[in-house]
Amino acid sequence: MTPALSSSSSSSAAAASQRLFRCTASLRRTHAPHRSPSMSPPPRKLKLMAEIMVKAKYAVLEREDYDDVRCEKCRSGDRDDELLLCDKCDKAFHMKCVSPIVVRVPIGSWLCPKCCGQKRIRSFSQKKIIDFFRIQKCKDAESPYLSAQAIKHRRRLRSLVWQKKSRRLLSFLPSEDPDRRLKQMGSLATALTTLQMEFSDDLTYLPGMASRSANQAELEDGGMQVLSKEDIETFELCRTMSRRGECAPLLVVFDSCEGFTVQADGQIKDMTFIAEYTGDVDYLTNREHDDCDSMMTLLLAKHPSRSLVICPDTHGNIARFINGINNHTP
């Protein structure tokens, strides 16, 4: 016969059973579920390293020793403070050996020209370059404008004091080698094609933007500067040479950090006319919230609604890439 329990002993036994129940319940939650011996773990899916490298943006390759690092261009290990290591291929380049040169150590990651990820554009043939820029061949033997040799001769006749005193515009001297000029124009055609732009040496007025009648000199706040007769002749001479394919000695190059920039491919004197800034003309009010960094003021009117800007989004020339324009992103 089981003895009877008092109320105090029964309550303590119930509390002990509750504590025991809570303890056993917590153990059940933390233990792994029982697996039968016949069940085997699922096979792990492993990928080949080559497959991972193809899909990955880039993987930093680390060397065990960097004492024998040499520049891939000049094959020299000197000036190690100027050596840049590519974050993709881990190859080294001097800051002055890459094109364009790097004037300061980049902040963050840096990729060499081969690893920058820019799509390669097939080279332009001579015929395609002529068609791209709509170059006009001279039919007359005697051109109404001076040739490059005549320009050199005219510059020699001028005294240095007269040039500094007048501060007139000088026309550029194109490269004498025709093959070199084709390479210069080919670099510009590559940059424009990459940005899906069409070459234009004139201002373009498209529907939905500013009309041609909106570009009036009397609307300019403070008046318009008038070119002298000599500067107008220089301007027309440069435009004529550009139409003939005698471009300014400039080369458009690509950098993974700076984007497309322009390098001088020959000696250029001070006050030399290079190119006229061209593109699509639009009202400034329509572009107030535009994040494009390549717009140029065309007309600054007293009323802001009449002010005009040049936007080389779809049309433009080499001026689009000069003087650090569009240098924060490819």
Side-chain angles (χ1 to χ4, degrees):
M1 182 175 178
T2 305
L5 298 176
S6 62
S7 60
S8 60
S9 61
S10 61
S11 62
S12 62
S17 63
Q18 289 179 1
R19 288 197 297 272
L20 179 60
F21 176 77
R22 285 197 296 268
C23 181
T24 55
S26 62
L27 288 177
R28 288 174 184 171
R29 285 198 302 268
T30 55
H31 279 84
H34 178 69
R35 186 186 299 271
S36 61
S38 60
M39 296 177 62
S40 59
R44 298 180 61 185
K45 296 182 179 180
L46 301 178
K47 294 184 178 180
L48 298 176
M49 180 57 68
E51 185 179 349
I52 297 177
M53 293 294 290
V54 169
K55 295 183 179 181
K57 186 177 181 180
Y58 65 84
V60 179
L61 303 178
E62 296 290 346
R63 303 183 186 180
E64 296 181 357
D65 188 11
Y66 286 89
D67 294 336
D68 58 344
V69 174
R70 296 181 179 273
C71 177
E72 296 294 326
K73 292 292 184 181
C74 64
R75 307 307 302 174
S76 172
D78 300 336
R79 307 189 314 275
D80 54 352
D81 57 331
E82 298 181 4
L83 281 173
L84 300 176
L85 292 177
C86 177
D87 289 328
K88 185 175 182 180
C89 64
D90 208 38
K91 294 181 180 179
F93 298 86
H94 281 117
M95 298 172 62
K96 295 182 179 180
C97 290
V98 293
S99 178
I101 63 173
V102 181
V103 295
R104 61 183 179 273
V105 179
I107 299 176
S109 60
W110 179 81
L111 301 179
C112 67
K114 291 185 178 179
C115 299
C116 62
Q118 183 68 19
K119 295 182 179 179
R120 292 185 177 182
I121 306 298
R122 54 190 179 89
S123 60
F124 286 79
S125 62
Q126 178 178 354
K127 184 179 182 303
K128 289 185 178 180
I129 290 177
I130 293 175
D131 296 339
F132 186 89
F133 294 102
R134 298 182 291 276
I135 296 174
Q136 302 174 0
K137 296 183 179 181
C138 295
K139 297 181 180 179
D140 301 332
E142 297 181 359
S143 175
Y145 299 98
L146 298 176
S147 61
Q149 295 295 333
I151 296 172
K152 288 183 179 180
H153 181 67
R154 187 178 64 177
R155 288 187 180 180
R156 290 171 187 163
L157 294 178
R158 292 181 179 178
S159 63
L160 183 61
V161 177
W162 189 85
Q163 289 186 20
K164 291 296 182 181
K165 184 178 179 180
S166 63
R167 301 297 293 174
R168 301 299 184 189
L169 291 178
L170 301 177
S171 58
F172 60 81
L173 290 176
S175 302
E176 297 182 1
D177 186 8
D179 294 335
R180 192 61 188 173
R181 292 202 299 266
L182 285 175
K183 184 175 182 180
Q184 295 163 3
M185 290 186 290
S187 66
L188 174 58
T190 299
L192 293 175
T193 305
T194 304
L195 297 181
Q196 299 180 355
M197 292 177 56
E198 182 180 346
F199 172 77
S200 175
D201 247 346
D202 300 296
L203 297 176
T204 53
Y205 299 89
L206 300 177
M209 303 173 69
S211 60
R212 191 180 301 271
S213 60
N215 189 9
Q216 301 181 21
E218 60 265 16
L219 299 178
E220 177 71 22
D221 188 11
M224 190 77 69
Q225 182 181 359
V226 181
L227 293 177
S228 63
K229 180 180 178 181
E230 292 81 1
D231 290 345
I232 293 177
E233 291 178 355
T234 302
F235 174 74
E236 294 296 336
L237 171 61
C238 293
R239 287 180 63 91
T240 304
M241 287 192 297
S242 298
R243 295 191 193 101
R244 295 198 302 247
E246 300 174 2
C247 58
L250 302 173
L251 197 67
V252 184
V253 295
F254 178 79
D255 180 74
S256 58
C257 296
E258 297 294 329
F260 287 105
T261 57
V262 174
Q263 288 182 348
D265 206 19
Q267 294 295 329
I268 301 177
K269 292 185 177 182
D270 187 24
M271 294 297 295
T272 298
F273 179 86
I274 296 299
E276 181 185 11
Y277 200 83
T278 62
D280 303 331
V281 181
D282 199 0
Y283 289 104
L284 180 61
T285 54
N286 297 341
R287 299 286 182 139
E288 287 181 344
H289 304 289
D290 198 327
D291 59 351
C292 179
D293 61 350
S294 303
M295 293 187 298
M296 182 75 70
T297 303
L298 175 62
L299 188 143
L300 189 60
K302 294 182 179 179
H303 300 284
S305 59
R306 294 186 175 183
S307 299
L308 302 178
V309 290
I310 303 175
C311 311
D313 299 330
T314 57
H315 301 84
N317 56 12
I318 198 169
R320 170 73 166 80
F321 311 106
I322 293 181
N323 198 25
I325 299 173
N326 187 39
N327 62 355
H328 80 281
T329 173

